Amino acid sequence: MTPCPVTGTGPDSGAGRAAATDPVIVLDPLVRDLAGEGARLRAAGPLAPVELPGGVRVWAVTRHAAARKLLTDSRLVKNIEHWAAYRRGEIPPTWPLIGLADPGPSMLTFDGPEHRRLRALTAQALTPRRVAALRPRIEEITHTLLDGLEAAADAEGRVDLKSAFAYPLPMAVIGDLLGIDTTRIPRLRTLFDGFFSSVTPAEEVPAIIAELGSIFGAEVARKRESPGDDLTSALLAAAEDGDSLSDEEVVATVQVLITAGHETTISLLVSAVRALLTRPEQLALLRSGEVGWEAAVEETLRWDAPTTHVLIRFATEDLEVGGTVVARGDAVIISYGAIGRDEEQHGPDAERFDLTRTPTRHLSFGHGPHVCPGAPLSRLEALVALPALFDRFPGLRPAVDPAELRNKPAITQNELHELPVRLR
């Protein structure tokens, strides 16, 4: 392990005030052992010094109570200009994670009054009624995809459930919601793979970010010219007290919504299916009706959070967490993968997937002002898709040893490369 550097005594030192011997946990860019990494993070305390790909040092919040507190602390902000290392020029535009640290002027990157303004205008478009009205369309897409699984399977009934079901479902739903041209979806999938990857070559990063911005800019311009009954058009029309979103703000908001709106649900569906297929006694509880599918969704979100680490918040002044001082200018990430199995919150058996667990609040969709606005949609998709899948294919089982499954190289996402299953 690399030692954490000693903090300077002046403002904006850019490093946490940890002892020189405190170990830094280097987050594995290939994501080969999420559970083990989460355990190491929790063992390091509520605030752990970590190293992101590219040698970037930040603090990771690893415990539920600390996360709840810090996610509502106004001294931690999303504006990257408060990051001392960024201001010093130590974070280049080719850093693989720069698009997640600085995704543009949306409600994801603003705080205080500006965040409330963008959130309120977005809420006018992304209403509970609009989300609830999507159920028939989600059911239609789900059943169409289930019909297609048989055709996609080989002679032995093997199929990659991720590419044939878990990916196209949320992508189709969010595409419908936002009115995105469906012919763009294959290219978006390639671009998002590079956008989230921790190992994207540095020379490719600016081009990926630029192309995503170009695609969403063109979609917003298309909707400005010809509005429809979709969320992008509603965002363009949203207004409050004479205020409205600029086209740049709509582009950034649409990108945030489509990015979060499909990636989270892919991971939720894949993780739930994997957990249930490898724990037949838990699946039997669902089949018998002893527990409901809501329990399966919430336990999956807790135990196998779709987002492993959320980037990044920045300290506007010194603050103390569990005896450790985060200096002004330091960067902080929220490690939801570790937090979901926090024994202090979820009991001594927090490492166990248990649908009968007494419900305890988890933070896998965030907390506070920046809580994920797409959480209701993701839950709805899972509550439609999962029971439909297991009803259609009651003999569904793994097609490979679960130990062979591998995560994609994205430290922010908990996402498998594939999930091979047998339908019968």
Side-chain angles (χ1 to χ4, degrees), residues 146-197:
L146 291 176
D147 291 342
L149 282 179
E150 288 279 12
D154 64 17
E156 298 179 354
R158 291 168 49 110
V159 66
D160 175 16
L161 195 69
K162 180 188 171 185
S163 64
F165 184 70
Y167 175 83
L169 171 60
M171 199 64 183
V173 171
I174 199 70
D176 276 6
L177 178 65
L178 290 164
I180 299 297
D181 180 356
T182 56
T183 63
R184 295 190 183 274
I185 289 178
R187 182 58 182 162
L188 285 172
R189 182 175 189 177
T190 299
L191 290 171
F192 279 131
D193 280 345
F195 180 80
F196 282 106
S197 176

Side-chain angles (χ1 to χ4, degrees), residues 16-155:
R17 291 174 185 166
T21 55
D22 282 0
V24 171
I25 298 175
V26 179
L27 300 184
D28 179 10
L30 299 181
V31 194
R32 287 168 289 198
D33 180 19
L34 273 183
E37 184 173 89
R40 290 191 294 276
L41 286 168
R42 289 191 300 276
L47 202 67
V50 302
E51 182 178 298
L52 301 176
V56 174
R57 299 286 181 87
V58 302
W59 294 102
V61 184
T62 71
R63 294 284 182 172
H64 182 102
R68 277 184 60 86
K69 179 179 179 181
L70 290 175
L71 286 168
T72 57
D73 193 320
S74 61
R75 295 172 296 175
L76 277 179
V77 301
K78 300 285 286 185
N79 187 342
I80 197 170
E81 294 297 333
H82 289 279
W83 192 4
Y86 179 80
R87 289 200 306 273
R88 292 194 299 263
E90 296 169 8
I91 311 299
T94 54
W95 184 43
L97 303 177
I98 190 65
L100 293 165
D102 186 24
S106 73
M107 60 185 176
L108 189 66
T109 53
F110 288 121
D111 298 279
E114 188 65 8
H115 173 265
R116 289 191 291 273
R117 166 187 167 263
L118 291 174
R119 186 101 184 185
L121 290 167
T122 302
Q124 289 184 38
L126 188 62
T127 62
R129 181 177 179 181
R130 182 182 289 271
V131 172
L134 287 170
R135 178 181 278 273
R137 178 60 176 149
I138 295 170
E139 292 173 344
E140 178 186 354
I141 295 170
T142 295
H143 290 294
T144 298
L145 291 171
L146 291 176
D147 291 342
L149 282 179
E150 288 279 12
D154 64 17

Side-chain angles (χ1 to χ4, degrees), residues 192-232:
F192 279 131
D193 280 345
F195 180 80
F196 282 106
S197 176
S198 308
V199 296
T200 296
E203 64 273 14
E204 296 179 12
V205 172
I208 289 171
I209 293 173
E211 187 174 351
L212 282 169
S214 176
I215 288 173
F216 291 118
E219 288 296 302
V220 169
R222 182 170 65 88
K223 289 299 178 181
R224 174 74 77 183
E225 180 71 22
S226 181
D229 184 20
D230 55 75
L231 183 56
T232 303

Side-chain angles (χ1 to χ4, degrees), residues 52-53 68 74 104 148 176 222 233 241 262 330 339 345 357:
L52 301 176
R68 277 184 60 86
S74 61
D176 276 6
R222 182 170 65 88
S233 300
D241 297 330
H262 81 282
D330 277 6
I339 290 166
Q345 171 69 15
R357 181 184 304 279

